[in-house]
């Protein structure tokens, strides 16, 4: 196990030994403290090992089977999901033998400088001298490796799931007389393999098991990127405890969460999809192959709202004066990187009149859509799948909530609330069944890294060890966050394919693709291969997976098909209208300041936002624009009130032409649109104008403490 990876290579290590053992469920029980900027509590991990999944790595051990479970058989889910009944909340400091039904959650990681090592205290064994096996085939103790960073791990223990009242229902023994490691692991094995139609019962068992007493501390150690756990005498993954509890706390500087203020100046914290994903929020298995479910109970001051990527619409439960608890869960197995949390003084935006927000909008399906309503046996692992639910397939608009800072309440009421239902309806019309039963929408703070959630977490890295560990290429390079070329080329590739095939053929394929691969991990090759197999021969026109990768993904510059499209696009009506307006502005800019006679006032057409972007890009090509022209330009289109894309181009014009009167617009953009503002910092410094450089340094000083870490690092390198 290579724990001494060179960070200078900019590769993100994925250390978890997923080839030997897999986390099937996380239960988190956390407290959020804004004063200390720490999230602390416990996480319980439920594992699966054995033939059911080890056959991927060639193991021949006998599987752990449930008499009531057939691995390949899919069961119909209940028509809708509701929170676990009789849920109670509790303090993370609750005694381990106090049973409560509650939710917990996810992963935990540690740094070198935290309270992270109990090997020497518990056993006197030095971690530098200890050697153990990370597989399930050696003579040394099995070593569980979890992805972990920037966490303080305080305690790791085995959970005595056999102590949970009624748990004997999951075993073949009517009465638990002799409790052994094998019996506890059998209980967990039966629990994680319960059929999908028993998901409510399964979540309840997970919650109660997570609160069972400990039955022995486990030895653990950490390095920069991982948490390593072992149990003396457990030589294989099968022997290793299948339910463990980790008590830990995050660190204020942890790279998986951002502590900041919202647009109203109130404190908030959120996960931002950083290059290291969630390993600084909880210890976990980061490789995408580790698909798991989770449930979480999160406590915070009563003035805060807790939002998570759960399937239920959680409501606060008051625990004591000034403190509330929120419970979320998911039943669809997903990579740990998809776990999100946001805690802040958000206000829920509600429509003034009754809308489809609270109703399940349904409609009849067109013949092409009806072909994909039922897919028979799903290709994913078993879970309560909406694609097998007849009522879900016709649900055009799923229940949704919209949250925002108080200061943006008016704008959200006027604009955003009206946009959500038609967007959901359009997504259903194009792609078919919504994979999730509900949706929460949050207006994030200005320092949210726009491309953070778009970081790839599954790619061919060239090497995966026998244990399952690997790396994400350039995953630690902060500059990669701002390299949008591959995302833009991917977008235009999809547009090119749609135009080549025709909308009807392309959208029909998209629906079929979503229905075929929902709930599974896929690669770009899978998408393209299926596309070419599902289109008529006459429409392929020499298209192949190899050609597409060569022309669109592996070659630098603008692909030839896109260049031809740009030339054709210049002839469309909207683009021609912009060209006419550009000529008006160029003529206006050439006029002398003092005119002998009054000339007719120039009339400019009203333009759409995309047209404004194109207009400003054309004007950026002009060598000089005088202050009078720039002032008229801003007034004509109210540029400071437009969206961020338009205002970004406006700021570029201000910087290029040193329009000092509007420097305040640049300062506002750098402070309120921090992720997009990164490029402006570069332009301010490249100009070598002392006043512009002062603007850059002043704005950075005001925002660097709240800025996304990758962004702050890139900007600091520009400025100093």
């Amino acid at each position: 196990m290579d724990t001494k990876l060179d960070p200078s290579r900019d590769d993100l290590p994925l250390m978890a030994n997923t080839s030997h053992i897999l986390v099937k469920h996380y239960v988190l029980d956390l407290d959020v403290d804004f004063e200390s900027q720490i999230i602390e509590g416990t996480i319980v991990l439920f594992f699966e090992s054995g033939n059911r999944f080890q056959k991927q790595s060639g193991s021949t051990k006998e599987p752990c089977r449930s008499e009531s479970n057939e691995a390949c058989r899919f069961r119909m889910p209940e028509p809708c999901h509701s929170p676990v009944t009789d849920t109670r909340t509790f303090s993370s400091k609750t005694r381990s033998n106090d049973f409560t039904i509650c939710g917990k959650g996810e992963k935990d990681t540690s740094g070198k400088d935290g309270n992270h090592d109990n090997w020497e205290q518990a056993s006197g064994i030095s971690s530098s001298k200890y050697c153990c096996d990370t597989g399930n085939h050696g003579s040394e103790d099995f070593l569980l490796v979890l992805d972990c960073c920037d966490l303080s791990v305080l305690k790791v223990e085995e959970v005595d799931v056999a102590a949970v009242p009624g748990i004997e229902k999951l075993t073949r023994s009517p009465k638990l007389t002799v409790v052994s490691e094998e019996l506890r692991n059998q209980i967990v094995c039966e629990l994680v393999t319960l059929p999908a139609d028993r998901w409510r019962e399964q979540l309840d068992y997970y919650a109660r098991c997570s609160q069972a007493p400990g039955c022995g501390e486990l030895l653990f150690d950490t390095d920069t990127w991982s948490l390593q756990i072992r149990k003396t005498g457990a030589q294989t993954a099968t022997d290793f405890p299948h339910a463990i509890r980790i008590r830990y706390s995050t660190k204020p500087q942890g790279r998986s969460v951002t502590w900041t203020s919202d647009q109203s100046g109130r404190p908030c914290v959120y996960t931002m999809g950083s290059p290291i994903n969630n390993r600084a929020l909880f210890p976990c298995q980061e490789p995408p192959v580790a698909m798991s479910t989770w449930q979480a109970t999160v406590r915070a001051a009563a003035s805060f709202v807790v939002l998570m990527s759960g399937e239920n619409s959680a409501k606060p439960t008051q625990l004591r004066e000034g403190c509330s608890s929120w419970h979320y869960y998911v039943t669809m197995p997903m990579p740990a990187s998809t776990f999100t949390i946001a805690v802040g003084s958000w206000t829920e935006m509600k429509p003034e009149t009754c809308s489809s927000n609270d109703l399940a909008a349904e409609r009849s399906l067109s013949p092409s859509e009806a072909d994909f309503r039922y897919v028979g046996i799903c290709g994913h692992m078993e879970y309560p799948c909406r694609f097998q639910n007849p009522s879900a397939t016709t649900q055009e608009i799923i229940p949704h909530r919209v949250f925002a800072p108080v200061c943006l309440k008016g704008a959200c009421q006027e604009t955003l609330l009206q946009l959500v239902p038609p967007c959901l309806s359009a997504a259903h019309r194009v792609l078919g069944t919504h994979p999730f039963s509900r949706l929460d929408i949050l207006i994030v703070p200005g320092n949210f890294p726009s491309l953070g959630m778009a970081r790839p977490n599954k790619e061919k890295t060239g090497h995966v060890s026998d244990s399952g560990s690997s790396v994400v290429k350039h995953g630690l390079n902060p500059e990669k966050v701002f390299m949008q070329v591959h995302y833009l080329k991917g977008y235009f590739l999809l547009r090119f394919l749609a135009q080549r095939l025709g909308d009807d053929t392309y959208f029909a394929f998209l629906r079929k693709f979503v229905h075929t691969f929902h709930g599974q991990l896929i690669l770009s090759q899978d998408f393209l291969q299926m596309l070419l197999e599902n289109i008529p021969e006459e429409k392929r026109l020499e298209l192949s997976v190899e050609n597409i990768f060569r022309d669109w993904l592996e070659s630098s510059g603008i692909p030839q098909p896109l260049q031809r499209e740009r030339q054709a696009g210049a002839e469309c009506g909207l683009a021609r209208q912009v060209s006419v307006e550009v000529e008006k502005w160029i003529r206006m800019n050439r006029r002398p300041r003092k005119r002998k006679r009054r000339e007719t006032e120039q009339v400019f057409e009203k333009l759409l936002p995309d047209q404004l972007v194109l207009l400003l890009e054309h004007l950026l090509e002009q060598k000089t624009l005088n202050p009078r022209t720039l002032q008229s330009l801003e007034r004509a289109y109210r540029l400071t009130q437009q969206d961020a894309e338009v205002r970004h181009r406006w700021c570029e014009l201000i910087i290029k032409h040193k329009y000092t009167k509007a420097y305040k617009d640049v300062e506002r953009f750098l402070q309120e649109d921090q992720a997009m503002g990164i490029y402006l910092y570069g332009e301010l410094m490249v100009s070598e104008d002392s006043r512009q450089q002062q603007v850059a340094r002043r704005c950075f000083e005001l925002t660097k403490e709240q800025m996304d870490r990758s962004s702050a690092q890139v900007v600091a390198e520009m400025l100093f």
Side-chain angles (χ1 to χ4, degrees):
M1 183 176 59
D2 181 12
T3 58
K4 297 180 180 179
L5 293 175
D6 181 6
S8 65
R9 294 184 303 184
D10 296 326
D11 290 343
L12 174 67
L14 306 177
M15 305 297 292
N17 52 341
T18 54
S19 294
H20 303 137
I21 191 168
L22 281 179
V23 177
K24 302 302 292 184
H25 190 77
Y26 298 94
V27 181
L28 297 103
D29 180 26
L30 303 173
D31 290 278
V32 180
D33 187 343
F34 279 91
E35 233 177 273
S36 62
Q37 294 192 340
I38 285 176
I39 300 174
E40 63 179 347
T42 62
I43 179 171
V44 177
L45 294 77
F46 295 86
F47 298 98
E48 180 181 49
S49 65
N51 207 34
R52 274 171 56 87
F53 109 93
Q54 283 182 353
K55 59 186 176 183
Q56 301 170 8
S57 56
S59 172
T60 58
K61 290 184 177 295
E62 284 297 313
C64 174
R65 298 185 62 88
S66 167
E67 293 179 345
S68 61
N69 181 63
E70 296 174 26
C72 300
R73 181 177 166 189
F74 191 87
R75 292 167 174 78
M76 292 291 291
E78 298 189 25
C80 63
H81 293 187
S82 62
V84 179
T85 56
D86 299 329
T87 299
R88 293 192 288 125
T89 53
F90 56 93
S91 167
S92 60
K93 303 174 179 59
T94 300
R95 299 193 318 273
S96 60
N97 59 352
D98 288 340
F99 295 108
T100 55
I101 300 176
C102 65
K104 300 188 182 192
E106 294 243 7
K107 63 185 173 186
D108 168 0
T109 59
S110 303
K112 288 183 177 178
D113 55 345
N115 296 325
H116 59 276
D117 187 346
N118 74 344
W119 282 24
E120 296 180 357
Q121 296 131 329
S123 64
I125 299 175
S126 170
S127 60
S128 62
K129 298 177 182 178
Y130 178 71
C131 176
C132 57
D133 184 23
T134 61
N136 56 356
H137 48 72
S139 59
E140 302 290 345
D141 291 338
F142 171 77
L143 187 70
L144 169 68
V145 182
L146 299 174
D147 292 301
C148 176
C149 181
D150 300 333
L151 293 180
S152 294
V153 178
L154 308 176
K155 180 181 180 181
V156 181
E157 63 180 346
E158 181 178 358
V159 179
D160 187 7
V161 294
V164 175
I167 202 70
E168 63 274 3
K169 296 176 183 177
L170 293 182
T171 70
R172 298 182 181 92
S173 304
K175 196 172 184 180
L176 300 182
T177 53
V178 180
V179 176
S180 63
E181 184 75 64
E182 184 179 359
L183 177 61
R184 284 191 288 266
N185 285 354
Q186 180 195 338
I187 291 172
V188 175
C189 186
E190 300 293 338
L191 175 56
V192 300
T193 56
L194 282 177
D197 57 2
R198 296 175 65 184
W199 65 270
R200 285 190 179 89
E201 179 185 6
Q202 186 181 47
L203 285 178
D204 180 38
Y205 273 124
Y206 277 135
R208 288 192 282 155
C209 286
S210 72
Q211 284 301 291
C215 56
E217 290 195 34
L218 303 176
L219 304 177
F220 69 91
D221 193 13
T222 63
D223 57 24
T224 304
W225 293 110
S226 70
L227 168 63
Q228 303 151 33
I229 305 169
R230 73 177 180 91
K231 179 178 180 178
T232 303
Q235 296 184 356
T236 70
T238 304
D239 300 330
F240 189 81
H242 283 26
I244 66 171
R245 182 187 295 114
I246 302 170
R247 180 169 294 280
Y248 75 100
S249 65
T250 65
K251 298 179 180 180
Q253 70 273 21
R255 286 166 282 177
S256 291
V257 294
T258 295
W259 299 87
T260 185
S261 300
D262 65 18
Q263 291 85 340
S264 295
R266 299 181 179 182
C268 63
V269 62
Y270 61 85
T271 49
M272 75 289 203
S274 71
I276 67 168
N277 291 327
N278 280 324
R279 67 186 68 190
L281 176 59
F282 56 88
C284 61
Q285 292 182 331
E286 280 282 16
V289 68
M291 306 271 275
S292 59
T293 53
W294 58 263
Q295 59 196 106
T297 295
V298 178
R299 286 170 298 280
S303 59
F304 291 101
V305 172
V306 177
L307 301 176
M308 300 180 73
S309 50
E311 296 173 7
N312 59 311
S313 296
K315 300 293 182 182
T317 300
Q318 185 171 348
L319 299 179
R320 56 185 182 275
E321 187 175 356
C323 182
S324 294
S325 173
W326 301 71
H327 178 75
Y328 288 90
Y329 63 85
V330 297
T331 60
M332 177 193 294
M334 290 185 291
S337 60
T338 62
F339 178 95
T340 60
I341 183 173
V343 184
S345 299
W346 324 119
T347 298
E348 183 177 357
M349 307 291 111
K350 296 183 178 180
E352 296 178 357
T353 58
C354 181
S355 73
S356 55
N357 183 44
D358 301 313
L359 302 175
E362 297 187 8
R363 65 180 178 85
S364 59
L365 298 175
S366 66
S368 61
E369 292 174 299
D371 292 341
F372 308 125
R373 280 188 62 184
Y374 303 106
V375 292
I377 298 176
C378 295
H380 54 69
M381 62 183 73
E382 191 179 15
Y383 66 83
C385 179
R386 287 172 53 80
F387 286 77
Q388 293 287 341
N389 186 331
S391 63
T393 60
T394 58
Q395 190 177 24
E396 202 173 309
I397 303 172
I398 57 175
H400 53 276
R401 304 184 298 185
V402 178
F403 294 87
V406 176
C407 66
L408 298 179
K409 182 176 181 179
C412 287
Q413 290 280 8
E414 294 173 10
T415 306
L416 186 58
L417 283 182
Q418 283 69 41
L419 289 176
V420 177
C423 286
L424 289 171
S425 180
H428 183 272
R429 186 165 55 254
V430 173
L431 300 176
T433 306
H434 293 288
F436 304 106
S437 57
R438 55 172 292 277
L439 175 68
D440 277 345
I441 299 172
L442 171 66
I443 306 300
V444 295
N447 65 347
F448 187 90
S450 302
L451 288 177
M453 301 304 288
R455 306 261 333 205
N457 60 20
K458 185 187 182 190
E459 59 179 273
K460 291 190 174 179
T461 58
H463 174 72
V464 177
S465 73
D466 291 340
S467 72
S469 64
S470 61
V471 297
V472 175
K473 290 293 184 182
H474 309 297
L476 296 175
N477 186 345
E479 295 182 2
K480 287 292 181 179
V481 178
F482 309 103
M483 302 301 179
Q484 302 184 51
V485 176
H486 48 301
Y487 297 115
L488 293 175
K489 289 175 73 172
Y491 163 76
F492 283 109
L493 170 59
L494 295 181
R495 286 194 60 219
F496 161 75
L497 293 173
Q499 292 172 349
R500 172 70 69 89
L501 306 178
D503 286 350
D504 290 342
T505 299
Y506 184 66
F507 289 148
F509 160 73
L510 280 184
R511 283 192 293 274
K512 184 175 182 179
F513 177 80
V514 170
H515 280 72
T516 302
F517 286 105
H518 70 276
Q520 302 175 66
L521 295 173
I522 56 98
L523 295 171
S524 300
Q525 294 96 317
D526 300 325
F527 176 86
L528 294 173
Q529 189 63 48
M530 183 176 176
L531 172 66
L532 297 178
E533 290 173 355
N534 281 267
I535 60 175
E537 184 70 35
E538 63 271 14
K539 290 192 175 183
R540 295 185 189 178
L541 301 177
E542 299 182 357
L543 284 178
S544 69
V545 175
E546 293 74 20
N547 292 344
I548 292 173
F549 266 70
R550 182 195 64 211
D551 297 339
W552 286 86
L553 303 179
E554 296 171 355
S555 302
S556 60
I558 301 176
Q560 284 296 325
L562 187 53
Q563 292 187 30
R564 292 192 293 269
E565 182 183 332
R566 287 181 65 188
Q567 295 169 358
E571 303 302 319
C572 78
L574 294 175
R576 287 199 301 270
Q577 185 182 11
V578 171
S579 298
V580 172
E581 298 304 299
V582 170
E583 290 301 318
K584 292 180 184 178
W585 286 107
I586 293 175
R587 288 196 301 269
M588 180 180 183
N589 188 60
R590 291 171 180 165
R591 291 176 186 168
R593 184 173 180 82
K594 295 182 179 179
R595 290 171 288 179
K596 295 182 179 179
R597 64 179 185 276
R598 183 179 181 84
E599 296 183 12
T600 305
E601 190 72 21
Q602 184 70 64
V603 177
F604 296 98
E605 299 293 331
K606 185 176 180 180
L607 300 178
L608 298 169
D610 285 344
Q611 289 180 299
L612 281 176
V613 170
L614 184 59
L615 171 77
L616 297 178
E617 286 180 345
H618 282 309
L619 293 178
L620 277 166
E621 297 172 359
Q622 297 300 306
K623 187 174 182 179
T624 59
L625 291 178
N626 60 55
R628 176 170 42 88
T629 300
L630 292 169
Q631 183 180 43
S632 299
L633 186 70
E634 196 286 319
R635 288 178 177 174
Y637 302 116
R638 297 182 178 180
L639 295 178
T640 59
Q641 300 175 34
Q642 298 292 338
D643 63 30
E645 292 284 356
V646 175
R647 287 187 288 111
H648 189 282
R649 270 69 171 189
W650 168 233
C651 289
E652 289 183 86
L653 279 173
I654 295 170
I655 295 169
K656 178 175 181 177
H657 301 292
K658 297 180 172 61
Y659 183 34
T660 58
K661 191 175 180 179
Y663 278 1
K664 63 181 184 302
D665 295 340
V666 177
E667 294 180 2
R668 175 196 163 201
F669 194 94
L670 291 177
Q671 294 178 55
E672 296 182 3
D673 300 271
Q674 294 175 21
M676 291 186 67
I678 302 303
Y679 306 97
L680 294 182
Y681 278 107
E683 294 183 31
L684 286 168
M685 298 306 294
V686 168
S687 68
E688 297 186 353
D689 178 88
S690 60
R691 186 168 177 182
Q692 289 192 359
Q693 291 183 347
Q694 287 176 4
V695 169
R697 293 192 174 101
R698 182 168 62 252
C699 289
F700 184 62
E701 283 300 316
L702 291 172
T703 59
K704 66 180 181 181
E705 296 303 323
Q706 293 187 336
M707 190 178 290
D708 166 64
R709 290 175 183 81
S710 296
S711 304
Q713 183 177 339
V714 171
V715 173
E717 291 173 357
M718 294 179 188
L719 303 187
F720 307 107

